[in-house]
């Protein structure tokens, strides 16, 4: 069974050496890309090449290696700028991950702009990374957290959103795509509601950008945060994009080397954007390899990435729904969600399910997915979650189903209708 869209998944798979691994005597079926994606050999080689050929600190040396490292590191800013359709490279800040990018905004912009009585609007489907920093800020500033309502199928209720986002709203912090439901949120409409009320909107793009063609201009957002490790890049690199005027008005989040323009015994003048927010030696090798990851996605084309994912997700939801007593969370329509399918099978603990699948070579994630308040709303301890990316095939969905049937034998619960 091959894909019906113009997308050569077998050719893509050859770029991912890890997919040849054999687990428990079976070929690995990796269905946990929402946690972190696998990396193509081009990305892995870029790291080796840096360390073998031009390892040096950036922005400091005047020797050849340092010049090469600095040029390669800074070139990634332009690669990312183009990929997210930002206006200027100085708006691209390198961080360690999405979490650090959001904390940067909470500490820097938040402490300066959120006042007692202000409201921070979130959705109940936020990852802890886009929830706990705002909880801390709200407690410190005597501000209030306001949660949007969700529909039964895990979408934002836009009717009540129009009332919940109001004159007291200072910030809307929302995920572009849920890591539990897979829901793609109406970010642009929320941005318009925020701006109508003179509020700012931060978009958590950790799950969105690996799968969706993303333009920060089109989303009309003010801040956009994401992690490269979920989009074929190495761990340890995140991006904060912000509108230049906002970033310029914000104080640095961390202090030290590289973020200064001049230091005197009793005062310091800070560097300009983007270096103002990049204190200390950055993650040079992984930033450079991140640029290769973005180029890899660009070469495939995000439209094709998305089309492949819709096809796999639709197929997976159809197959999974044939299992007796299964609950699948989130929108039924595969075009309204990304390649993330969370489910529970009555009577089976998701961790047990995950373990039996792992024994069959199938890697999924089970647990609360860093969304504990959402699990409470759903009245579950956790869910099992299969997530897909460019290298997954329809056959692998069949292998997931076969492994679930194996779980039936072991646990005596799963039965097909
Ligand atoms: N936001 C969302 C929507 C996420 O899914 C994640 C990670 C983060 C933020 C945090 O990203 P980080 O790179 O800073 O850690 N999500 C998951 C997941 O679903 N399973 O493992 C990590």
């Amino acid at each position: 069974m091959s894909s019906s869209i113009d997308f050569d998944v077998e050719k893509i798979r050859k770029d991912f050496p890890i997919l040849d691994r054999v687990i428990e005597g079976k070929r690995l079926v990796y269905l946990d890309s929402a946690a972190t994606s696998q990396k193509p050999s081009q990305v892995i080689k870029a790291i080796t090449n840096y360390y073998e050929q031009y390892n040096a600190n950036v922005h400091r040396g005047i020797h050849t290696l340092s010049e090469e490292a600095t040029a390669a590191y800074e070139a990634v800013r332009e690669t990312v700028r183009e990929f997210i359709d930002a206006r200027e490279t100085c708006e691209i800040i390198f961080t360690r991950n999405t979490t650090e990018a959001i904390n940067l905004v909470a500490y820097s912009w938040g402490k300066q702009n959120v006042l007692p009585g202000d409201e921070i609007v979130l959705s109940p489907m936020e990852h802890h990374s886009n929830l706990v920093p705002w909880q801390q800020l709200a407690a410190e500033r005597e501000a209030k957290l306001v949660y949007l309502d969700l529909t039964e199928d895990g979408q934002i209720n836009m009717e009540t959103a129009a009332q919940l986002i109001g004159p007291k709203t200072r910030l809307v912090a929302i995920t572009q795509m849920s890591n539990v439901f897979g829901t793609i949120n109406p970010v642009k409409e929320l941005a318009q509601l925020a701006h109508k009320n003179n509020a700012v909107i931060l978009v958590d793009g950790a799950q969105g950008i690996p799968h969706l063609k993303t333009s920060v201009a089109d989303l009309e957002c003010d801040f956009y945060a994401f992690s490269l490790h979920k989009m074929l890049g190495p761990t340890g690199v995140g991006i904060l994009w912000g509108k230049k005027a906002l970033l310029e008005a914000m104080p640095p989040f961390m202090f030290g080397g590289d973020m200064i323009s001049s230091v005197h015994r009793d005062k310091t003048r800070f560097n300009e954007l983007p270096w103002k927010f990049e204190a200390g030696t950055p993650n040079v090798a992984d930033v450079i390899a991140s640029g290769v990851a973005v180029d890899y996605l660009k070469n495939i084309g995000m439209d094709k990435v998305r089309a492949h994912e819709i096809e796999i997700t639709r197929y997976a939801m159809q197959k999974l729904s044939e299992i007796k007593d299964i609950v699948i969370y989130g929108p039924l329509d595969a075009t309204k969600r990304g390649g993330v399918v969370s489910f529970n099978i009555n009577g089976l603990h998701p961790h047990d399910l995950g373990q039996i699948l792992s024994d069959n070579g199938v890697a999924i994630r089970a647990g609360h997915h860093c969304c504990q308040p959402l699990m409470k709303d759903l009245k579950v301890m956790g869910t099992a979650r299969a997530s897909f990316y460019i290298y997954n095939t329809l056959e692998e969905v069949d292998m997931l189903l076969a492994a679930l049937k194996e779980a039936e034998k072991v646990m005596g619960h799963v039965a097909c209708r």
Side-chain angles (χ1 to χ4, degrees):
M1 188 186 354
S2 62
S3 168
S4 63
I5 56 168
D6 172 23
F7 188 87
D8 193 346
V9 67
E10 289 309 326
K11 183 163 170 270
I12 286 171
R13 288 180 68 85
K14 290 199 175 76
D15 288 334
F16 291 80
I18 207 169
L19 298 179
D20 291 334
R21 265 210 66 179
V22 172
I23 310 265
E24 305 288 346
K26 301 202 169 91
R27 184 173 62 73
L28 167 70
V29 175
Y30 187 75
L31 303 180
D32 195 20
S33 293
T36 196
S37 75
Q38 296 302 346
K39 327 298 176 198
S41 44
Q42 290 87 335
V43 168
I44 300 165
K45 279 183 192 144
I47 297 171
T48 315
N49 186 46
Y50 165 76
Y51 284 120
E52 287 181 352
Q53 298 298 327
Y54 59 105
N55 170 49
N57 212 325
V58 291
H59 304 145
R60 298 157 202 237
I62 46 158
H63 57 82
T64 304
L65 297 189
S66 179
E67 281 170 359
E68 286 176 5
T70 304
Y73 175 83
E74 288 299 330
V76 179
R77 250 186 256 281
E78 171 55 19
T79 305
V80 171
R81 183 207 64 73
E82 199 212 332
F83 193 66
I84 65 170
D85 192 25
R87 268 205 194 163
E88 298 191 44
T89 50
C90 72
E91 297 173 326
I92 308 293
I93 317 284
F94 292 123
T95 64
R96 278 189 307 140
N97 45 37
T98 307
T99 306
E100 188 177 282
I102 295 172
N103 273 275
L104 194 165
V105 178
Y107 275 89
S108 175
W109 179 88
K111 287 192 186 195
Q112 208 175 43
N113 290 283
V114 174
L115 300 172
D118 281 352
E119 292 180 353
I120 298 171
V121 176
L122 309 172
S123 88
M125 65 175 97
E126 295 315 310
H127 187 279
H128 295 162
S129 300
N130 198 28
L131 192 167
V132 183
W134 307 122
Q135 231 173 33
Q136 297 303 304
L137 179 71
E140 200 180 303
R141 308 298 293 167
E142 293 174 36
K144 192 177 150 197
L145 293 187
V146 173
Y147 285 91
L148 297 170
D149 297 324
L150 298 185
T151 60
E152 283 287 306
D153 66 345
Q155 299 193 64
I156 288 174
N157 180 332
M158 289 303 286
E159 274 169 36
T160 56
Q163 285 131 40
L164 291 166
I165 299 172
K168 286 191 183 166
T169 307
R170 195 73 205 92
L171 173 80
V172 176
I174 186 83
T175 186
Q176 187 182 14
M177 184 195 291
S178 161
N179 67 323
V180 174
F181 293 136
T183 318
I184 298 167
N185 285 321
V187 168
K188 188 173 179 143
E189 288 81 348
L190 290 166
Q192 288 167 352
L193 279 175
H195 292 151
K196 208 168 84 184
N197 289 283
N198 295 319
V200 159
I201 181 164
L202 174 140
V203 177
D204 171 353
Q207 295 294 343
I209 195 161
H211 310 279
L212 304 169
K213 193 175 173 66
T214 297
S215 156
V216 291
D218 193 47
L219 291 178
E220 296 182 24
C221 56
D222 298 297
F223 295 109
Y224 188 87
F226 60 102
S227 297
L228 271 299
H229 71 88
K230 291 186 199 285
M231 48 192 291
L232 311 181
T235 51
V237 182
I239 301 286
L240 172 69
W241 168 83
K243 281 187 181 154
K244 189 177 176 184
L246 286 170
L247 293 173
E248 272 182 337
M250 284 159 54
F253 167 45
M254 286 197 281
F255 302 89
D258 242 24
M259 52 75 64
I260 56 93
S261 98
S262 66
V263 180
H264 308 272
R265 282 197 167 196
D266 50 1
K267 67 174 191 303
T268 292
R269 203 181 290 276
F270 302 133
N271 207 339
E272 56 192 16
L273 286 177
W275 306 288
K276 177 171 90 171
F277 292 111
E278 293 177 12
T281 299
N283 188 352
V284 184
D286 293 318
V287 165
I288 291 169
S290 296
V292 177
V294 172
D295 283 339
Y296 189 97
L297 285 172
K298 233 173 357 191
N299 283 341
I300 295 175
M302 291 310 287
D303 293 341
K304 286 189 185 163
V305 169
R306 178 76 184 124
H308 174 70
E309 196 163 283
I310 290 176
E311 182 174 51
I312 292 209
T313 308
R314 185 176 283 141
Y315 183 68
M317 288 180 64
Q318 180 204 322
K319 286 283 176 185
L320 285 168
S321 66
E322 289 168 10
I323 293 173
K324 192 167 169 268
D325 294 334
I326 195 168
V327 179
I328 300 175
Y329 302 95
L332 286 177
D333 181 349
T335 63
K336 292 204 159 66
R337 53 150 74 222
V340 170
V341 184
S342 288
F343 56 93
N344 266 312
I345 297 173
N346 199 10
L348 284 185
H349 193 289
H351 280 150
D352 292 339
L353 209 53
Q355 186 56 53
I356 298 168
L357 293 189
S358 178
D359 293 344
N360 285 275
V362 179
I364 62 154
R365 183 159 182 201
H368 55 65
H369 313 296
C370 296
C371 293
Q372 286 184 356
L374 181 62
M375 296 298 127
K376 210 165 175 194
D377 291 352
L378 296 173
K379 299 188 176 59
V380 294
M381 297 275 291
T383 73
R385 183 189 71 182
S387 53
F388 311 109
Y389 209 18
I390 49 171
Y391 35 70
N392 290 121
T393 63
L394 299 178
E395 285 83 356
E396 288 183 312
V397 175
D398 290 338
M399 290 180 196
L400 166 68
L401 265 290
L404 285 171
K405 285 190 186 141
E406 192 58 33
E408 173 195 23
K409 276 196 229 147
V410 178
M411 311 286 291
H413 275 283
V414 187
C416 282
R417 280 189 191 120

